[in-house]
Amino acid sequence: AQRVTQPEKLLSVFKGAPVELKCNYSYSGSPELFWYVQYSRQRLQLLLRHISRESIKGFTADLNKGETSFHLKKPFAQEEDSAMYYCALSRNRDDKIIFGKGTRLHILP
Amino acid sequence: ETGVTQSPTHLIKTRGQQVTLRCSSQSGHNTVSWYQQALGQGPQFIFQYYREEENGRGNFPPRFSGLQFPNYSSELNVNALELDDSALYLCASCWGGRASTDTQYFGPGTRLTVL
């Protein structure tokens, strides 16, 4: 079965330090991968998707098919990055989106 | 442009009862997906509606059913409520029938408590 694993429930990083939120997936086909973010008292929203190869708010994510990973990275953390981050996968043959359990990112001052 | 709205905000039911949750999609969006988010978990896909037809379903029993109306608003119905149905229910809308390629916009959720 398809699965998205985010190994860290909580990640604390000092402001200005690099951030890496880990995401591993299991799927035999070619998935579409996403990162969603939920800031405090806000709605869940799409941060970025791998197919767009974009950088949003300084975050990037690279799909590594060999390691089946899609880690989210930012070179210098900012306090406003504190939020809940969810990695998600969609299979090509249908539109079901599978979410990981999420990682809470806490940026320390 | 109005965002996705959901009603009610909170709901308390007892085991065995039935519940209907409502979602108004963002203006111009014809696709609605429903998710269940238990405490400490990520959202879990229930089903998706595109132009009033169900076009995808997750691993939920038939007592979870839905509707989409001509104005693209949607309902989630749950029969024979169980304690494990207690969760935050999210709906998300997008345009074009594919949440994987279109950007989904989420509502604030309905918190359902089953006693």
Side-chain angles (χ1 to χ4, degrees), chain B residues 44-105:
Chain B
Q44 195 170 356
F45 177 77
I46 303 175
F47 44 54
Q48 179 177 287
Y49 279 83
Y50 171 58
R51 292 185 176 179
E52 303 178 61
E53 298 285 332
E54 183 182 297
N55 74 335
R57 190 176 181 93
N59 298 327
F60 281 81
R63 59 189 185 84
F64 285 77
S65 63
L67 278 174
Q68 188 179 30
F69 300 100
N71 66 355
Y72 302 131
S73 66
S74 177
E75 284 182 355
L76 164 65
N77 298 290
V78 188
N79 293 323
L81 283 166
E82 301 176 0
L83 295 178
D84 284 349
D85 296 333
S86 294
L88 181 69
Y89 288 85
L90 297 169
C91 82
S93 73
C94 64
W95 183 89
R98 285 190 62 83
S100 56
T101 51
D102 307 322
T103 298
Q104 288 194 103
Y105 292 85

Side-chain angles (χ1 to χ4, degrees), chain A residues 5-6 12 14-16 19 34 39-40 42-43 46-47 50 57 59-60 78 82 84 93 95 99 101 104 106-107 109:
Chain A
T5 303
Q6 295 180 250
S12 296
F14 283 103
K15 179 181 168 182
V19 174
F34 314 83
Y39 301 102
S40 179
Q42 293 189 27
R43 302 175 183 201
L46 178 67
L47 179 63
H50 91 271
K57 300 186 180 185
F59 283 98
T60 58
Q78 298 172 280
S82 292
M84 194 73 183
R93 59 186 173 85
D95 210 31
F99 284 82
K101 292 186 178 182
R104 181 164 299 282
H106 183 208
I107 306 301

Side-chain angles (χ1 to χ4, degrees), chain A residues 22 41 81 86 95 108:
Chain A
K22 291 184 167 49
R41 289 185 289 278
D81 296 330
Y86 294 95
D95 210 31
L108 303 165

Side-chain angles (χ1 to χ4, degrees), chain A residues 9 13 17 32-33 35 37 52 55 64 76 86 90 95 105:
Chain A
K9 271 191 160 180
V13 173
E32 296 181 26
L33 288 150
W35 278 98
V37 62
S52 303
S55 172
N64 185 322
F76 307 105
Y86 294 95
S90 173
D95 210 31
L105 177 63

